[in-house]
Amino acid sequence: MHDHQLQSILRHMPAGIATLLGPELRYGFVNEAMQALLGGHTPTGEPLAEHRGGLAADLLEVMQQVYLSGRPYVAKAYPFASSDPELPNATATKRYFDLALEPLHDENDQPQGLLLFAVDVTGQEEARQRAHELSLETRRLDARLRVLTETAPQITFTVDAEGQYEYVSPQWYYFTGQPPTADLNAIWPLLIHPDDRLRALYHADAARAAGVGWSFEYRLRRHDGQYRWMLSRALPELHAPDKPVFWHGAVTEVHDQRELSEVLRRGEAELRFLADSIPQLIWTATAEGFIDYYNQHTGDYTGLSAQELGPTGWVALLDSSEQAAAARRWVHSVASGDDYEGLYRMRRHDGQYRWHIIRARQLADSRGLRWFGACTDVDDQHRLREVLQTQYDELARTNRDLDTFVYTASHDLKQPLFNLRGLFEELRRTATFQDPEQEQLLAMVDEALSQLDGTLQELAATVQDQRELAAPTENLDLRSVLEEVLLGLRTQVQEVKATIDLELSAAPTLVYGRANLRSVLHNLLSNALKFADPNRPAHVQIISSISEAGQPQLTVQDNGVGMELRQDPATFFQLFERQNPQVPGAGVGLYLVQRILDSRGGHLEVTSTVGQGTTFTVHWFE
């Protein structure tokens, strides 16, 4: 009766229980929990090896050893892969059991079998494995965090609620030069600048007492004895509902940033002082175009305060007829980022409108986009320019009238000249004089008429060339133009048996007006031929080169009679100025050359030796 009750109790126990009899470990008693563990097929009397269910071979071997040795054995968290027999396609699940193997003996203390006891510890084993995995992950993250904190250019630390340092990264020792054996809690406060020490300690203590983080700056002594500004920041490690017991933080050097900020602050103050000191209307505006600053002169000039001027103050000060156009242009500049510039009339505090140039440019910096503008009073210059423009227009009109008069006069005087020459030729042909100086007087009259004719022609040519001073420029081949000029002077070249050498390889082309270039070359070459020495064949060298300033230049050198130059070179190129009265001429050619070169930004130089020759150097551009 008692055995039956005991078996009933054992059969329904949550732990698995089985008896294995004999050396073959045949199934004896197997309760329901063990049946489920072994897969539900445990025929009584059959060897365990033939119906082992989820038992592995190594466990069978261990059971045999326990049976033979008679020593009990416990296997902790032994894994079983089991599945629901009612669901043939069900996925096997792994469960863990503590297995106790206890030898059974008969009355003679002989081995009789084994008692197998299995307790399900799946929950505990999975929790242990998860705790182990979390421990590994924690160690890995801790190692990573340590690497990060010890390689970052910052000092990291951990301090407890009492202000005692639990950890500090190696950067602190590198920065301060303290040995690793130094007492951190005793040394750190002493390294803070005396002027900052009390403030820094108070901020840290107050934050720990309140259970909050902190952020403040102080100076810390570096290994070289220099104090550097540092930013200390820390946050509490919160474990609700308890108060924090640790603060984790970092100390970052901000010395350069602080000095730069101080320099910028001083620079901004100096710029504002400078802006308030200059007699211009200076203002700044936001990226949207609204003015947020006016200098002091703006208030003095307009008689209005910054609040009265408002965000669009300078536009409202313009003449009413110009406000709309100025505002549209300002809106366009703000939208596109283009520079703003315009000339407008702006009202002064006395109600007078004066001309101003208004300029503004956009600047992008760390604070974003901003506009910087200035309104410059140019009323006096504007009115002066209007007067000068009026005078210039009058002078230009007078000059044109004068040119027209000279040209007309020279043209109209040609007819009387032709009449005089005709009368003189008729007089020479028909009249007789009883005068021994007759031929000399006739020659003098003939020469005077020829000089008058030449002067009239030179005047007409001069006016024509001056009208062509503003002719458009083009890229000209010097050799081609020179050959064209020499073709027109071939008669003079043949008369003096001149040799012309051209060396133009250094600067073969010139950007110039074609008519101007022909006039310059014609006058210089005709002068060289005109002043040829009658005692030797004429030799003219024309050399093109590049000056030290990198500009093209031309040298015309002859071996003529030369001239004696005056000390004042300015008089050399004056109109009707003649250097050698014995040679016929009107004194207009060199004047015209100088005028052409001046109009193009160049000048003419001359050197000469009497009896040896003259050299002209043409500097086309300065």
Side-chain angles (χ1 to χ4, degrees), residues 379-397:
D379 191 77
D380 296 337
Q381 298 92 315
H382 184 77
R383 298 185 187 280
L384 177 60
R385 183 166 58 250
E386 289 180 340
V387 173
L388 292 177
Q389 183 64 41
T390 301
Q391 294 178 348
Y392 173 80
D393 294 341
E394 183 65 27
L395 287 174
R397 184 170 58 256

Side-chain angles (χ1 to χ4, degrees), residues 414-482:
K414 286 183 179 180
Q415 187 60 42
L417 176 63
F418 292 154
N419 294 337
L420 286 174
R421 182 170 292 281
L423 291 174
F424 174 71
E425 292 296 333
E426 182 64 23
L427 181 64
R428 169 180 285 181
R429 185 177 63 81
T430 59
T432 59
F433 301 94
Q434 300 299 323
D435 192 327
E437 298 179 353
Q438 172 183 346
E439 291 300 325
Q440 183 177 358
L441 291 173
L442 292 175
M444 291 175 62
V445 173
D446 187 45
E447 180 181 359
L449 290 174
S450 298
Q451 288 182 356
L452 179 58
D453 184 29
T455 299
L456 292 176
Q457 291 181 8
E458 290 286 353
L459 284 174
T462 299
V463 172
Q464 182 64 29
D465 287 340
Q466 289 190 157
R467 288 178 176 177
E468 295 176 350
L469 288 179
T473 60
E474 56 182 303
N475 193 15
L476 301 172
D477 182 73
L478 279 177
R479 182 177 296 275
S480 174
V481 178
L482 274 167

Side-chain angles (χ1 to χ4, degrees), residues 200-433:
L201 296 176
Y202 172 78
H203 282 308
D205 291 342
R208 288 196 306 273
V212 297
W214 69 70
S215 177
F216 56 85
E217 295 181 3
Y218 65 90
R219 285 165 290 181
L220 186 66
R221 192 175 70 197
R222 199 167 58 181
H223 56 81
D224 57 0
Q226 183 181 359
Y227 284 97
R228 308 284 291 180
W229 281 100
M230 314 294 288
L231 171 63
S232 177
R233 285 179 175 172
L235 291 174
E237 180 182 327
L238 298 177
H239 298 282
D242 299 330
K243 292 183 178 180
V245 293
F246 291 106
W247 276 257
H248 307 286
V251 177
T252 308
E253 183 176 352
V254 293
H255 192 86
D256 294 337
Q257 295 92 317
R258 189 180 178 102
E259 286 193 340
L260 178 60
S261 177
E262 181 64 21
V263 170
L264 290 176
R265 186 191 64 78
R266 291 198 303 267
E268 184 175 355
E270 291 173 356
L271 286 175
R272 284 186 176 270
F273 177 79
L274 178 62
D276 289 337
S277 302
I278 61 178
Q280 277 189 313
L281 283 69
I282 305 297
W283 48 272
T284 63
T286 63
E288 294 77 19
F290 297 112
I291 302 175
D292 55 6
Y293 165 75
Y294 297 95
N295 70 334
Q296 182 177 344
H297 182 71
T298 303
D300 298 339
Y301 187 89
T302 62
L304 301 174
S305 64
Q307 290 74 19
E308 291 172 325
L309 287 168
T312 58
W314 64 267
V315 177
L317 295 174
L318 302 182
D319 186 270
S320 57
S321 62
E322 300 173 346
Q323 289 183 9
R328 284 195 300 270
R329 191 169 183 177
W330 175 237
V331 171
H332 171 76
S333 293
V334 171
S336 64
D338 296 339
D339 292 350
Y340 183 91
E341 182 170 349
L343 180 64
Y344 303 104
R345 288 169 292 177
M346 180 176 288
R347 187 178 69 249
R348 199 166 57 179
H349 60 84
D350 58 1
Q352 180 183 357
Y353 282 90
R354 296 178 61 84
W355 287 100
H356 283 73
I357 293 179
I358 302 178
R359 295 188 178 96
R361 296 185 63 185
Q362 192 181 67
L363 174 66
D365 57 16
S366 59
R367 295 176 296 177
L369 296 176
R370 291 180 59 78
W371 286 89
F372 292 81
C375 305
T376 306
D377 189 331
V378 294
D379 191 77
D380 296 337
Q381 298 92 315
H382 184 77
R383 298 185 187 280
L384 177 60
R385 183 166 58 250
E386 289 180 340
V387 173
L388 292 177
Q389 183 64 41
T390 301
Q391 294 178 348
Y392 173 80
D393 294 341
E394 183 65 27
L395 287 174
R397 184 170 58 256
T398 302
N399 189 52
R400 288 194 301 271
D401 293 344
L402 182 60
D403 286 346
T404 303
F405 170 76
V406 172
Y407 187 80
T408 303
S410 62
H411 182 271
D412 292 346
L413 287 175
K414 286 183 179 180
Q415 187 60 42
L417 176 63
F418 292 154
N419 294 337
L420 286 174
R421 182 170 292 281
L423 291 174
F424 174 71
E425 292 296 333
E426 182 64 23
L427 181 64
R428 169 180 285 181
R429 185 177 63 81
T430 59
T432 59
F433 301 94

Side-chain angles (χ1 to χ4, degrees), residues 20 29 35 53 100 118 151 180 232 285 301 314 340 426-427 461 550 565 588 617:
L20 305 171
F29 173 79
Q35 288 278 359
T151 55
S232 177
Y301 187 89
W314 64 267
Y340 183 91
E426 182 64 23
L427 181 64
L565 300 178
V588 175
T617 302

